[in-house]
Every structure is written in C-alpha cells, then in structure tokens.
Amino acid sequence: MISTQAPERCACDALVVGAYAEGAPLEGAAAKVDQALGGLLSSVLAEERFKAKPGHTFVLHTHGKTPAKRIIATGLGPKVEANLERLRVAAGAAARRAADARAKHIVLPAVTLPPHHPDAVTQARVEGVALGLYRFSRYKQQEDGMTVERVELLATDASHQKGVEEGLRRGLLFADATTLARDLVNEPPNQLNPTRLAEIAGETARIAGLRCSVLDVDAMQAQGMGAILSIGGGSAVPPRLIVLEYTPPKAKRTVAIVGKGVTFDSGGINLKKDETMLETMKADMAGGAAVIATMQALPALKSPVRVLGVVAAVENLPSGTSVKPGDIVRAMNGKTIEINNTDAEGRVILADALAYAAQRNPDEIIDLATLTGSAMIAFGYLAAAVMSNNQRLVNRLLDAAERTGERMWQLPLYEEYLEKMRSPVADLQNSGGRYGGAQKGAIFLREFVDSRPWAHIDIAPTAFLETDEGTGPYLPKGGTGYGVRTLLTYLSGS
Ligand code: BES
Ligand code: MN
Ligand code: ZN
C-alpha cells in the first residue's frame, strides 16, 4: 500500500526511519519525526549510544507524542558506504524488530539514494521487509504468531509514487519467488521427493502460465539418459526430469537454467559419515528449487528472454538397486562415466540435464547446484562459486549478483582439472580427488554443454544456513532461496 502522507503525521504501530552511522545528523523522515518530537529522537539515540550499524535497530515509544506508536530507527552504516544492500538489510532488521514488538501496521517513509532510482530503492527495501519476515512454520501446530499485517510505503509526491509502485511490484515478485525456493528447500525429505517436486513444478507452472513437461523413467530411458537413471535407481521413489518453458512473444534469445534436484543426498553406497549426513542434505535440491521459483516469476516479470528450465530430480540412497562404485553409465550425449564415488551424484544427474538442455539449442546455459563441500571450504557460507567457459556470461552474472546482494565469486577452470576427471576405463570418472573439488566438478559438467556458453554456480555454500553463521536480517537459518533474485535480475534485461 502506498500513500503520500507526511511521515510525522502517519498513524501506525511502527514508523521506520533510517539513520546513518558515525554521528551523521538525522535526515529525511528521521529528521522530520525528530522535529515533530522536539528533538527527542536524536537526543535519545545519542544518550543510548545507538551506533546505527547495519542490522541494528532502536525502538522509541512515543506515548502519543506522534500519531505513530513507535519509531524504529534502523542502522544504515556510514553514509559514504550507502548502497541498496544496506537498505535491504536495514528494512529487514526493522521489519523483524516491528514483529518482535507485535506491531501490526508498519510504515516505511520515502528514502532517496542517488543515483539509484526510486523503483530500485523501493524494490530493495520491500525485499528486505518481505524476506526478513519469512518463516517456515507449516509443520508447527502453534504458529508463534506473525503480527505484521500491513506495510505501508510513503512516496514524496505523485511523480515519486510511480517509481515506488513499480519497485513495490518488483520487490514483491522477487521476494515471493525467493520465498517459494526457501519453502521447497525447507520441506522435509519425506514430504518432498522427486515425484512430489515434479507435481509441485507442474502445479506452479499451470498457475504461472508456463509449459511444463515431466520425463518419467520410460521417457528418460527412451532419451538415453543413463546417468540420471543410474543415480535415481537406488530409491523406491523414481527420478524425474522436470522441464519448464517460458516463451514470450518476439524473444530474441533463449537461456536455459538447469538445477540439481537431489531431494536427499545420503551419499548412496559411498554413504556419508555421521558428521556429514545431516538434515542439510534435504537441501541438495536447492538449485532445482531456484530454477522452479525463477521460472514461475518470469511471466509476471515480463522477461524479454525465452527461458528453458530443467530440473534433475532424484533421491540418492543406498539399496540393492543403487549405482555402485565401478559402474559405468552412459549419458544422453553418448559420453561414458565411471562412477568412482556415488556421493558425487550431482554432476552425474546434471550430465543428462545439461545434455538435454544443450540439445534444445539455447544461446546459453546456466546451472545451479549444491555441488561440492569444496566450495564451502573455500567460501564458508558467504559466497557461491561461479565457473564458466565464457567470461562475458560470467561478468554479466557477477553484475546481476552484485545488484541483488547475493555474493558470487569466480573460480578458474584450468584445463589440468579435466585430466583428473578422465577414467582409465570410461570417458570420464565422476570424482577426481578432494583438492580443487569445486573446479573439478565444474569441468566435468562442461563436457555436457556441447561447447555452448555456459556458467555453473556452485551454491553449496549459500543455499542452506545450518547455524547462525552467514545469516542476516533478511537471511534466516535454513533455506535462503539463493540465486533466484540474481537469475530474475539477469533475465529481466535483454
Ligand atoms: N551435495 C553434496 C555437496 C554438499 C556438501 C552440499 C555439503 C552441501 C553441503 C555433493 O553431492 C557431494 O557429496 N559432493 C562431494 C563430492 C566428492 C565425493 C567428489 C563432496 O563435495 O564432498
Ligand atoms: Mn553427494
Ligand atoms: Zn549432492
């Protein structure tokens, strides 16, 4: 909801105002409210030594001195460092604080951050609020009550209002898509298996107006997809290849986005040890979730690009029908793979998914996968790794990631890594040793994209936060929905 009221005259449960750090004077709505309060806000902030650090908030009860019951000051950090991500963080922190205070109606006054346009500023703040208030509570009998019911955005005047409206629309679109990805990642593996993921994809596609087709075991056999079939063979629940298509009129190019959809990764016959077999392994479908969530938002985003979404959905379990170390399987593009470690299953299923995508003739292919522990060793929870055969594509992805606040860092694909992925008995082997594991996984994938421009994003570090490490005001524990906002940003341009 948007209005052009003056912030100091807004009746609400919480009015959110930003404050810059390092003793900067209050400005904008904060200054107006301070004035209406006769300087009370600025003096209390100083007395209580509020440092205005990003993510920090301060609540002032107005006891009827303004129509707003509370003023929530939210830290923006030093003014010289101001950017959209700081606004996103500040909005997320304020929204959470408002929820803690049981506020129902919160108001966000207009903010300017030149040279950013009002729509970009609003989008970032709306994302912060919506993603900050996210929780996964569908399996809790007692909802610990989300109180925020109404968020109002203020515009300075009618001309500003247009930008705010557009930013609100995009912010909600991006946040809703990210929320869908988070929900899918957080779903327990007994509820979300490959067939269920395919059902959800079909349902989501129908509502969004996308084409959806799902390849079952017979269809995959007919296509020669021996790789995904071998990994999926160990589970009582069969694998699925989910294909989603967004086709806008007059599209000039096609981008394929491909996701790893391992709904639970036990490691298979090379069973994971106690320390690594964690609840986290339900999140091994986060790449697939990001693909489905992104596809679903494209029609409303009116993306100008044709997009093909492909998700390889399997459950990696040990059983009498599991793929075994030493097995040799043949992928759709004819290449043979010796399975020397059943826990390196992601690259095997992606071999067929990428070959399938490549056969559909896209101009470029982007895959997202929780592929390696190695990427987590490199980055902790703080950045995803991107690797590619095309620097122009990487640069554009890094640019999109930067704009969304999703950290991404490039790793090299030295040709020597490929030598390690050669098998003595097949074209390739699926594991080439621990060191440089993220790059070895990526260079294996490169063998299946038919030399098309391709980028692989290893989201193992960022897809799921097991502890508080890496969390933030709009990034909770559990599924993060990483990648959705970057892909949507990337796909909104031509
Ligand atoms: N899904 C895992 C990677 C992973 C680990 C994601 C931890 C998130 C958190 C992947 O299938 C895997 O097991 N990779 C192995 C590959 C190795 C056997 C070559 C790894 O990285 O250890
Ligand atoms: Mn694995
Ligand atoms: Zn895995």
Side-chain angles (χ1 to χ4, degrees):
M1 214 202 121
I2 301 172
S3 79
T4 52
Q5 262 189 304
E8 67 278 11
R9 284 200 286 275
C10 263
C12 59
D13 297 314
L15 180 74
V16 175
V17 299
Y20 286 112
E22 294 172 347
L26 295 178
E27 53 181 90
K32 283 186 194 149
V33 170
D34 189 39
Q35 206 173 26
L37 284 166
L40 181 65
L41 179 62
S42 51
S43 53
V44 170
L45 289 177
E47 280 158 19
E48 297 296 326
R49 298 183 193 288
F50 179 64
K51 294 283 191 300
K53 287 188 184 151
H56 291 214
T57 53
F58 185 91
V59 182
L60 177 72
H61 280 265
T62 63
H63 291 285
K65 291 192 180 68
T66 64
K69 278 192 204 141
R70 306 171 183 82
I71 310 297
I72 298 183
T74 185
L76 293 169
K79 189 163 184 187
V80 288
E81 295 172 10
N83 58 26
L84 293 179
E85 175 61 6
R86 286 280 162 87
L87 289 181
R88 209 177 270 118
V89 164
R96 281 191 185 176
R97 189 63 191 263
D100 287 346
R102 311 234 142 265
K104 285 192 182 126
H105 174 199
I106 69 178
V107 172
L108 275 70
V111 164
T112 55
L113 185 67
H116 298 288
H117 291 291
D119 51 354
V121 166
T122 306
Q123 182 184 341
R125 298 170 78 208
V126 169
E127 287 174 5
V129 170
L131 296 175
L133 295 178
Y134 174 84
R135 36 183 109 178
F136 183 71
S137 53
R138 61 178 296 199
Y139 295 99
K140 278 182 183 291
Q141 290 204 51
Q142 236 114 355
E143 271 239 41
D144 37 345
M146 170 50 62
T147 56
V148 178
E149 290 168 0
R150 181 165 163 219
V151 180
E152 195 174 347
L153 294 166
L154 302 186
T156 50
D157 52 54
S159 69
H160 183 231
Q161 184 152 348
K162 274 229 162 325
V164 173
E165 270 165 20
E166 177 55 19
L168 171 61
R169 202 183 64 80
R170 269 177 80 96
L172 286 177
L173 201 66
F174 277 49
D176 286 349
T178 304
T179 296
L180 171 59
R182 286 181 179 182
D183 281 345
L184 290 172
V185 170
N186 288 331
E187 275 292 326
N190 61 333
Q191 298 296 329
L192 192 78
N193 57 31
T195 51
R196 180 74 192 119
L197 187 62
E199 280 170 19
I200 294 175
E203 178 75 354
T204 310
R206 196 179 54 73
I207 294 166
L210 301 167
R211 265 194 67 181
C212 175
S213 46
V214 175
L215 278 66
D216 62 10
V217 169
D218 288 345
M220 287 190 266
Q221 250 151 12
Q223 299 262 0
M225 297 183 173
I228 183 173
L229 285 168
S230 74
I231 301 294
S235 169
V237 184
R240 292 284 185 260
L241 194 86
I242 302 164
V243 182
L244 299 166
E245 288 167 72
Y246 167 69
T247 314
K250 291 183 289 188
K252 287 194 203 73
R253 56 188 205 107
T254 303
V255 177
I257 56 177
V258 178
K260 170 177 174 181
V262 177
T263 59
F264 187 77
D265 181 12
S266 73
I269 297 295
N270 294 101
L271 197 62
K272 287 183 185 292
K273 298 187 181 55
D274 269 0
E275 320 86 76
T276 53
M277 175 102 72
L278 297 162
E279 169 212 2
T280 314
M281 285 305 134
K282 75 178 184 182
D284 213 16
M285 35 58 75
V291 166
I292 293 167
T294 300
M295 292 301 302
Q296 159 273 142
L298 293 174
L301 189 67
K302 297 197 171 57
S303 165
V305 221
R306 189 181 303 115
V307 187
L308 174 71
V310 181
V311 178
V314 305
E315 195 173 48
N316 187 23
L317 291 181
S319 79
T321 54
S322 290
V323 70
K324 300 170 289 298
D327 282 359
I328 296 177
V329 301
R330 188 184 300 274
M332 185 187 177
N333 70 348
K335 292 194 182 177
T336 56
I337 305 164
E338 180 196 1
I339 307 292
N340 58 348
N341 189 329
T342 64
D343 198 11
E345 83 296 340
R347 61 201 70 180
V348 180
I349 66 171
L350 286 173
D352 278 331
L354 289 168
Y356 176 86
Q359 203 194 52
R360 299 283 304 264
N361 234 3
D363 296 287
E364 52 196 39
I365 305 175
I366 301 164
D367 78 72
L368 290 92
T370 46
L371 205 72
T372 68
S374 170
M376 297 189 73
I377 301 286
F379 295 119
Y381 297 95
L382 299 185
V386 62
M387 289 150 274
S388 171
N389 59 4
N390 185 296
Q391 194 57 41
R392 201 178 94 91
L393 173 56
V394 177
N395 291 345
R396 284 155 58 221
L397 280 172
L398 288 171
D399 183 61
E402 168 79 38
R403 280 188 278 157
T404 61
E406 294 186 320
R407 287 199 179 110
M408 195 184 285
W409 200 264
Q410 187 178 8
L411 295 178
L413 282 187
Y414 300 131
E415 289 308 315
E416 287 93 327
Y417 293 127
L418 185 58
E419 298 313 311
K420 294 290 173 200
M421 303 310 294
R422 299 264 180 231
S423 158
V425 291
D427 296 330
L428 294 162
Q429 57 188 14
N430 72 332
S431 168
R434 285 165 41 137
Y435 300 126
Q439 296 95 311
K440 286 172 183 166
I443 214 149
F444 175 97
L445 296 180
R446 198 187 64 181
E447 294 300 295
F448 299 90
V449 299
D450 202 18
S451 302
R452 284 163 201 278
W454 150 85
H456 157 65
I457 308 173
D458 190 334
I459 60 171
T462 52
F464 190 88
L465 304 172
E466 312 160 272
T467 62
D468 283 334
E469 201 180 333
T471 60
Y474 70 86
L475 274 185
K477 277 210 272 192
T480 60
Y482 180 96
V484 172
R485 289 180 304 116
T486 293
L487 285 177
L488 289 177
T489 303
Y490 182 76
L491 296 169
S492 3
S494 51

PDB file of all heavy atoms in Angstrom, residues 260 262 264-267 272 281 284-285 316 342-347 370-372, ligand 3:
ATOM      1  N   LYS A 260      20.164 -28.724  -9.951  1.00  0.00           N
ATOM      2  CA  LYS A 260      20.354 -30.012  -9.275  1.00  0.00           C
ATOM      3  C   LYS A 260      19.217 -30.192  -8.280  1.00  0.00           C
ATOM      4  O   LYS A 260      19.022 -29.368  -7.393  1.00  0.00           O
ATOM      5  CB  LYS A 260      21.703 -30.033  -8.551  1.00  0.00           C
ATOM      6  CG  LYS A 260      21.898 -31.234  -7.608  1.00  0.00           C
ATOM      7  CD  LYS A 260      23.284 -31.265  -6.962  1.00  0.00           C
ATOM      8  CE  LYS A 260      23.396 -32.382  -5.931  1.00  0.00           C
ATOM      9  NZ  LYS A 260      24.726 -32.429  -5.270  1.00  0.00           N
ATOM     10  N   VAL A 262      18.467 -32.965  -5.974  1.00  0.00           N
ATOM     11  CA  VAL A 262      18.608 -34.171  -5.147  1.00  0.00           C
ATOM     12  C   VAL A 262      17.826 -33.925  -3.854  1.00  0.00           C
ATOM     13  O   VAL A 262      18.240 -33.146  -2.993  1.00  0.00           O
ATOM     14  CB  VAL A 262      20.092 -34.493  -4.872  1.00  0.00           C
ATOM     15  CG1 VAL A 262      20.215 -35.704  -3.944  1.00  0.00           C
ATOM     16  CG2 VAL A 262      20.831 -34.754  -6.179  1.00  0.00           C
ATOM     17  N   PHE A 264      17.192 -35.805  -1.348  1.00  0.00           N
ATOM     18  CA  PHE A 264      18.007 -36.165  -0.179  1.00  0.00           C
ATOM     19  C   PHE A 264      19.268 -36.850  -0.671  1.00  0.00           C
ATOM     20  O   PHE A 264      19.207 -37.753  -1.501  1.00  0.00           O
ATOM     21  CB  PHE A 264      17.270 -37.075   0.811  1.00  0.00           C
ATOM     22  CG  PHE A 264      18.064 -37.277   2.067  1.00  0.00           C
ATOM     23  CD1 PHE A 264      18.116 -36.283   3.051  1.00  0.00           C
ATOM     24  CD2 PHE A 264      18.816 -38.441   2.265  1.00  0.00           C
ATOM     25  CE1 PHE A 264      18.878 -36.453   4.192  1.00  0.00           C
ATOM     26  CE2 PHE A 264      19.583 -38.609   3.418  1.00  0.00           C
ATOM     27  CZ  PHE A 264      19.614 -37.613   4.381  1.00  0.00           C
ATOM     28  N   ASP A 265      20.401 -36.390  -0.158  1.00  0.00           N
ATOM     29  CA  ASP A 265      21.689 -36.963  -0.565  1.00  0.00           C
ATOM     30  C   ASP A 265      22.325 -37.698   0.611  1.00  0.00           C
ATOM     31  O   ASP A 265      22.925 -37.095   1.495  1.00  0.00           O
ATOM     32  CB  ASP A 265      22.624 -35.842  -1.053  1.00  0.00           C
ATOM     33  CG  ASP A 265      23.973 -36.395  -1.515  1.00  0.00           C
ATOM     34  OD1 ASP A 265      24.083 -37.637  -1.659  1.00  0.00           O
ATOM     35  OD2 ASP A 265      24.891 -35.585  -1.734  1.00  0.00           O
ATOM     36  N   SER A 266      22.137 -39.025   0.617  1.00  0.00           N
ATOM     37  CA  SER A 266      22.759 -39.830   1.674  1.00  0.00           C
ATOM     38  C   SER A 266      24.192 -40.197   1.298  1.00  0.00           C
ATOM     39  O   SER A 266      24.943 -40.717   2.121  1.00  0.00           O
ATOM     40  CB  SER A 266      21.963 -41.131   1.865  1.00  0.00           C
ATOM     41  OG  SER A 266      22.203 -42.004   0.764  1.00  0.00           O
ATOM     42  N   GLY A 267      24.552 -39.939   0.052  1.00  0.00           N
ATOM     43  CA  GLY A 267      25.845 -40.376  -0.467  1.00  0.00           C
ATOM     44  C   GLY A 267      25.715 -41.656  -1.275  1.00  0.00           C
ATOM     45  O   GLY A 267      26.597 -42.000  -2.055  1.00  0.00           O
ATOM     46  N   LYS A 272      27.433 -41.248   3.361  1.00  0.00           N
ATOM     47  CA  LYS A 272      28.061 -40.165   4.121  1.00  0.00           C
ATOM     48  C   LYS A 272      28.281 -40.599   5.564  1.00  0.00           C
ATOM     49  O   LYS A 272      27.534 -41.400   6.099  1.00  0.00           O
ATOM     50  CB  LYS A 272      27.177 -38.910   4.071  1.00  0.00           C
ATOM     51  CG  LYS A 272      27.179 -38.210   2.732  1.00  0.00           C
ATOM     52  CD  LYS A 272      26.351 -36.935   2.767  1.00  0.00           C
ATOM     53  CE  LYS A 272      26.240 -36.285   1.399  1.00  0.00           C
ATOM     54  NZ  LYS A 272      27.507 -35.735   0.891  1.00  0.00           N
ATOM     55  N   MET A 281      21.219 -32.252   4.074  1.00  0.00           N
ATOM     56  CA  MET A 281      21.171 -32.967   2.799  1.00  0.00           C
ATOM     57  C   MET A 281      19.786 -32.996   2.163  1.00  0.00           C
ATOM     58  O   MET A 281      19.630 -33.427   1.035  1.00  0.00           O
ATOM     59  CB  MET A 281      21.757 -34.369   2.980  1.00  0.00           C
ATOM     60  CG  MET A 281      23.271 -34.322   3.076  1.00  0.00           C
ATOM     61  SD  MET A 281      23.976 -33.466   1.628  1.00  0.00           S
ATOM     62  CE  MET A 281      25.150 -32.383   2.405  1.00  0.00           C
ATOM     63  N   ASP A 284      19.715 -30.469  -0.852  1.00  0.00           N
ATOM     64  CA  ASP A 284      20.522 -30.737  -2.041  1.00  0.00           C
ATOM     65  C   ASP A 284      19.724 -30.551  -3.334  1.00  0.00           C
ATOM     66  O   ASP A 284      20.213 -30.831  -4.424  1.00  0.00           O
ATOM     67  CB  ASP A 284      21.097 -32.160  -1.941  1.00  0.00           C
ATOM     68  CG  ASP A 284      22.468 -32.275  -2.582  1.00  0.00           C
ATOM     69  OD1 ASP A 284      23.101 -31.230  -2.830  1.00  0.00           O
ATOM     70  OD2 ASP A 284      22.885 -33.417  -2.857  1.00  0.00           O
ATOM     71  N   MET A 285      18.486 -30.078  -3.167  1.00  0.00           N
ATOM     72  CA  MET A 285      17.661 -29.749  -4.337  1.00  0.00           C
ATOM     73  C   MET A 285      17.497 -28.234  -4.481  1.00  0.00           C
ATOM     74  O   MET A 285      16.608 -27.760  -5.203  1.00  0.00           O
ATOM     75  CB  MET A 285      16.279 -30.425  -4.252  1.00  0.00           C
ATOM     76  CG  MET A 285      15.664 -30.559  -2.880  1.00  0.00           C
ATOM     77  SD  MET A 285      15.465 -28.973  -2.052  1.00  0.00           S
ATOM     78  CE  MET A 285      14.057 -28.381  -2.977  1.00  0.00           C
ATOM     79  N   ASN A 316      19.188 -39.758  -3.604  1.00  0.00           N
ATOM     80  CA  ASN A 316      20.423 -40.561  -3.641  1.00  0.00           C
ATOM     81  C   ASN A 316      20.496 -41.446  -2.402  1.00  0.00           C
ATOM     82  O   ASN A 316      20.874 -40.982  -1.327  1.00  0.00           O
ATOM     83  CB  ASN A 316      21.643 -39.628  -3.711  1.00  0.00           C
ATOM     84  CG  ASN A 316      22.954 -40.379  -3.928  1.00  0.00           C
ATOM     85  OD1 ASN A 316      22.952 -41.513  -4.436  1.00  0.00           O
ATOM     86  ND2 ASN A 316      24.062 -39.754  -3.551  1.00  0.00           N
ATOM     87  N   THR A 342      29.832 -42.703  -5.376  1.00  0.00           N
ATOM     88  CA  THR A 342      28.384 -42.487  -5.549  1.00  0.00           C
ATOM     89  C   THR A 342      27.898 -41.210  -4.866  1.00  0.00           C
ATOM     90  O   THR A 342      26.763 -40.788  -5.078  1.00  0.00           O
ATOM     91  CB  THR A 342      27.560 -43.670  -4.999  1.00  0.00           C
ATOM     92  OG1 THR A 342      27.758 -43.764  -3.583  1.00  0.00           O
ATOM     93  CG2 THR A 342      27.967 -44.982  -5.660  1.00  0.00           C
ATOM     94  N   ASP A 343      28.776 -40.602  -4.046  1.00  0.00           N
ATOM     95  CA  ASP A 343      28.397 -39.343  -3.394  1.00  0.00           C
ATOM     96  C   ASP A 343      28.645 -38.137  -4.300  1.00  0.00           C
ATOM     97  O   ASP A 343      28.221 -37.028  -3.980  1.00  0.00           O
ATOM     98  CB  ASP A 343      29.145 -39.192  -2.062  1.00  0.00           C
ATOM     99  CG  ASP A 343      28.511 -38.166  -1.139  1.00  0.00           C
ATOM    100  OD1 ASP A 343      27.381 -37.721  -1.436  1.00  0.00           O
ATOM    101  OD2 ASP A 343      29.139 -37.821  -0.120  1.00  0.00           O
ATOM    102  N   ALA A 344      29.349 -38.340  -5.416  1.00  0.00           N
ATOM    103  CA  ALA A 344      29.476 -37.245  -6.393  1.00  0.00           C
ATOM    104  C   ALA A 344      28.351 -37.418  -7.410  1.00  0.00           C
ATOM    105  O   ALA A 344      28.571 -37.537  -8.615  1.00  0.00           O
ATOM    106  CB  ALA A 344      30.850 -37.272  -7.047  1.00  0.00           C
ATOM    107  N   GLU A 345      27.110 -37.445  -6.887  1.00  0.00           N
ATOM    108  CA  GLU A 345      25.936 -37.769  -7.714  1.00  0.00           C
ATOM    109  C   GLU A 345      25.413 -36.570  -8.498  1.00  0.00           C
ATOM    110  O   GLU A 345      24.796 -36.725  -9.546  1.00  0.00           O
ATOM    111  CB  GLU A 345      24.822 -38.338  -6.829  1.00  0.00           C
ATOM    112  CG  GLU A 345      23.944 -37.312  -6.099  1.00  0.00           C
ATOM    113  CD  GLU A 345      24.680 -36.460  -5.077  1.00  0.00           C
ATOM    114  OE1 GLU A 345      25.757 -36.882  -4.636  1.00  0.00           O
ATOM    115  OE2 GLU A 345      24.174 -35.375  -4.732  1.00  0.00           O
ATOM    116  N   GLY A 346      25.662 -35.363  -7.970  1.00  0.00           N
ATOM    117  CA  GLY A 346      25.083 -34.170  -8.585  1.00  0.00           C
ATOM    118  C   GLY A 346      25.542 -34.000 -10.025  1.00  0.00           C
ATOM    119  O   GLY A 346      24.739 -33.778 -10.940  1.00  0.00           O
ATOM    120  N   ARG A 347      26.828 -34.137 -10.246  1.00  0.00           N
ATOM    121  CA  ARG A 347      27.379 -33.944 -11.600  1.00  0.00           C
ATOM    122  C   ARG A 347      26.867 -35.023 -12.564  1.00  0.00           C
ATOM    123  O   ARG A 347      26.761 -34.778 -13.761  1.00  0.00           O
ATOM    124  CB  ARG A 347      28.910 -33.926 -11.527  1.00  0.00           C
ATOM    125  CG  ARG A 347      29.508 -35.198 -10.996  1.00  0.00           C
ATOM    126  CD  ARG A 347      30.923 -34.999 -10.467  1.00  0.00           C
ATOM    127  NE  ARG A 347      30.954 -34.208  -9.233  1.00  0.00           N
ATOM    128  CZ  ARG A 347      32.063 -33.893  -8.587  1.00  0.00           C
ATOM    129  NH1 ARG A 347      33.241 -34.285  -9.042  1.00  0.00           N
ATOM    130  NH2 ARG A 347      32.019 -33.189  -7.480  1.00  0.00           N
ATOM    131  N   THR A 370      24.038 -27.433  -5.577  1.00  0.00           N
ATOM    132  CA  THR A 370      24.777 -27.606  -4.320  1.00  0.00           C
ATOM    133  C   THR A 370      25.771 -28.736  -4.573  1.00  0.00           C
ATOM    134  O   THR A 370      25.599 -29.854  -4.112  1.00  0.00           O
ATOM    135  CB  THR A 370      23.801 -27.994  -3.193  1.00  0.00           C
ATOM    136  OG1 THR A 370      22.926 -29.032  -3.686  1.00  0.00           O
ATOM    137  CG2 THR A 370      22.968 -26.814  -2.737  1.00  0.00           C
ATOM    138  N   LEU A 371      26.819 -28.418  -5.342  1.00  0.00           N
ATOM    139  CA  LEU A 371      27.632 -29.500  -5.916  1.00  0.00           C
ATOM    140  C   LEU A 371      28.737 -30.015  -5.015  1.00  0.00           C
ATOM    141  O   LEU A 371      28.988 -31.209  -4.970  1.00  0.00           O
ATOM    142  CB  LEU A 371      28.225 -29.064  -7.262  1.00  0.00           C
ATOM    143  CG  LEU A 371      28.534 -30.254  -8.181  1.00  0.00           C
ATOM    144  CD1 LEU A 371      27.261 -30.879  -8.723  1.00  0.00           C
ATOM    145  CD2 LEU A 371      29.446 -29.852  -9.338  1.00  0.00           C
ATOM    146  N   THR A 372      29.442 -29.103  -4.311  1.00  0.00           N
ATOM    147  CA  THR A 372      30.632 -29.593  -3.587  1.00  0.00           C
ATOM    148  C   THR A 372      30.817 -29.000  -2.190  1.00  0.00           C
ATOM    149  O   THR A 372      30.569 -27.816  -1.949  1.00  0.00           O
ATOM    150  CB  THR A 372      31.935 -29.285  -4.377  1.00  0.00           C
ATOM    151  OG1 THR A 372      32.164 -27.878  -4.397  1.00  0.00           O
ATOM    152  CG2 THR A 372      31.878 -29.831  -5.783  1.00  0.00           C
TER     153      THR A 372
HETATM  154 ZN    ZN B   3      24.705 -33.928  -3.509  1.00  0.00          ZN
END
